[in-house]
Amino acid sequence: MTARALAGAALALLPLTTASSAQADEPDGPVRFPSLHDGIEALPLAAESRTGYQRTSFKHWVDADRDGCSTRAKVLIAESRARPEVGPKCKVISGRWFSYYDGVTVTDPKGLDIDHMVPLAEAWDSGASQFSAARREAYANDLEAERSLVASVAAGRVRHRGEVSRTPFWMILIHLLRTRLIGQLFALYG
């Protein structure tokens, strides 16, 4: 992975990893920078380490607001291009999803994974290993930034549990280059 790619991945984590003195009351609050350049310049440089990484360290697909729908269900509902059919206990039965990674349209949610824009293993390498369990859970279920989680067919096909990121970084780069997400990343992070 190149230094720029690492900087971009780290920048995606920046709102979760930095705190300013103005946010003393909110130790986990995001920090905003006037420009992408300023945000990148503020990134601390440190060696990455996958030591101790386990996907289970990030409790995900929780129902944080206790409305009966898990994070996974909420992403599926939000990203469906047609009104999704939702059954009891917020089980998403059908809808119409476009997988940005590979240009495939899917109607059965069982064919989709919810992928983290910055994979959990990469987040761990870039500092999430120092997060509390509650903060890792918040990261894994982040619905505040609508672009941080995406329904994807490719993620399921290339999933590797354990020691590697779920989505190869080259796939994320191709995805960013082929879609509107470059603009979305700038909208999110300056």
Side-chain angles (χ1 to χ4, degrees), residues 1-189:
M1 191 179 297
T2 68
R4 278 194 183 175
L6 286 173
L11 184 60
L13 285 174
L14 194 58
L16 292 172
T17 60
T18 348
S20 71
S21 58
Q23 295 170 321
D25 296 336
E26 297 180 61
D28 290 337
V31 173
R32 302 290 180 205
F33 293 95
S35 71
L36 179 61
H37 178 269
D38 291 341
I40 291 173
E41 289 296 316
L43 291 173
L45 297 178
E48 290 188 345
S49 173
R50 185 93 18 126
T51 303
Y53 171 74
Q54 295 179 10
R55 187 169 172 76
T56 55
S57 296
F58 293 83
K59 184 176 179 185
H60 51 287
W61 313 154
V62 300
D63 179 10
D65 61 5
R66 301 176 194 256
D67 68 352
C69 292
S70 70
T71 302
R72 175 184 166 75
K74 288 178 183 178
V75 171
L76 289 171
I77 291 166
E79 289 197 0
S80 182
R81 292 185 166 192
R83 185 181 178 126
E85 181 182 351
V86 181
K89 299 184 179 180
C90 203
K91 179 177 172 71
V92 180
I93 299 165
S94 66
R96 189 167 196 261
W97 298 273
F98 180 73
S99 176
Y100 292 107
Y101 288 126
D102 53 7
V104 174
T105 297
V106 178
T107 57
D108 184 351
K110 293 177 187 168
L112 293 166
D113 271 355
I114 306 303
D115 199 27
H116 295 85
M117 181 54 75
V118 177
L120 300 179
E122 180 63 33
W124 182 271
D125 294 351
S126 300
S129 59
Q130 303 303 308
F131 289 0
S132 67
R135 193 166 179 194
R136 282 193 299 270
E137 179 179 318
Y139 175 79
N141 295 280
D142 182 15
L143 292 170
E144 299 271 333
E146 68 182 59
R147 299 158 185 104
S148 64
L149 298 169
V150 62
S152 156
V153 172
R157 285 202 309 258
V158 299
R159 180 185 312 150
H160 299 285
R161 301 261 183 216
E163 296 303 314
V164 296
S165 301
R166 287 177 45 142
T167 304
F169 196 75
W170 66 267
M171 287 186 78
I172 294 170
L173 290 176
I174 288 172
H175 166 64
L176 291 173
L177 293 172
R178 286 181 36 193
T179 68
R180 58 194 155 95
L181 285 187
I182 289 176
Q184 291 177 348
L185 285 172
F186 279 99
L188 273 174
Y189 302 111

